[in-house]
Amino acid sequence: MADMITAPSLKKMRDAGKKIVCLTAYDYPSALIADAAGVDLVLVGDSLGTTIQGHETTLPVDLEDVCYHTSIVRRGIKRALLVADLPFGSYNVSVEQAVESSILLMKAGASAVKLESDYTEAISAITKAGIPVMGHLGYTPQSFYRFGGAKIQGKGDSGSALIEIAKELESAGAFGIVLELIPADLAKRITNAISIPTIGIGAGIECSGEIQVWHDILGISETPFRHTKFFMNGRDLMSQAVQQYVDSVRQGSFPGPENSV
Ligand code: KIV
């Protein structure tokens, strides 16, 4: 527990100018790998709707889904801060609903929760319940239909509004804010305007840290977005391996004597 990352330790990293490395994970083996690699914050994102469940958006993801994935990711984490997403519909109805949903995520194994957009009252109430909360501004995937797709946010005048909202989230008690798909110069202005960490994804280099989706950095996703980088071609490598397995069984070269008991 000594080296365990907490919400306050992320603030210390930010203040010391040490980049905060964040990554999503949805299962036990990926959690083990991320934690061993030194990822500081592991997010059980509602991106599991698109990466794991095969949906077009994150909207169909239920609180039970995030609780389940949080509970299995928890078993693979020793050091990183484990943050769980409040999915669409689990906090939008009332402040009470937001607190109740957050409590369920914490009971499932999370050490903090994240919600999208400017739900400042919910952030205050969740924080009051002793639960660290992260905000998420810019392109917020749960508003896919309002934005008309995964579109860059904060261009022009709306950038100043985002800075004000970021300040409100900080005042409400958020311990950090994810900034998604906003111009790099705006991300820099937000980062300089608040004293909590900003975690970018498609938001340039000036944030306090970076977050990426597991399937994107490992090249498992179908589409390589501009804001991601395939650090390996996971989809190709896995396809080749499975094809070799299929061919080997069909040809009778696997299992061989060395695989027999
Ligand atoms: O759900 C998710 O994976 C996220 C990250 C993209 C920040 O919210």
Side-chain angles (χ1 to χ4, degrees), residues 1-136:
M1 296 290 264
D3 286 341
M4 206 179 65
I5 303 276
T6 61
S9 51
L10 292 183
K11 161 96 172 114
K12 281 190 192 145
M13 287 175 71
R14 175 233 180 246
D15 292 346
K18 193 173 173 211
K19 285 278 184 189
I20 301 166
V21 186
C22 315
L23 183 61
T24 68
Y26 314 102
D27 59 24
Y28 175 72
S30 51
L32 277 179
I33 292 168
D35 201 54
V39 168
D40 302 304
L41 182 158
V42 168
L43 172 70
V44 180
D46 62 352
S47 52
L48 69 86
T50 50
T51 57
I52 298 286
Q53 296 176 331
H55 293 298
E56 292 287 323
T57 72
T58 58
L59 300 185
V61 176
D62 287 327
L63 185 60
E64 292 72 23
D65 299 330
V66 185
C67 283
Y68 169 71
H69 285 276
T70 300
S71 69
I72 58 178
V73 166
R74 172 81 274 163
R75 292 178 210 132
I77 302 283
K78 287 196 177 69
R79 173 184 171 272
L81 180 71
L82 177 52
V83 181
D85 256 345
L86 283 156
F88 177 64
S90 71
Y91 63 97
N92 318 77
V93 176
S94 67
V95 167
E96 290 74 20
Q97 185 204 28
V99 176
E100 280 167 13
S101 300
S102 302
I103 289 171
L104 288 177
L105 289 173
M106 297 298 279
K107 286 186 185 289
S111 302
V113 300
K114 174 169 82 61
L115 54 73
E116 295 185 2
S117 200
D118 55 348
Y119 284 82
T120 46
E121 281 181 42
I123 289 174
S124 299
I126 296 166
T127 308
K128 192 173 172 202
I131 301 171
V133 198
M134 258 191 127
H136 186 158

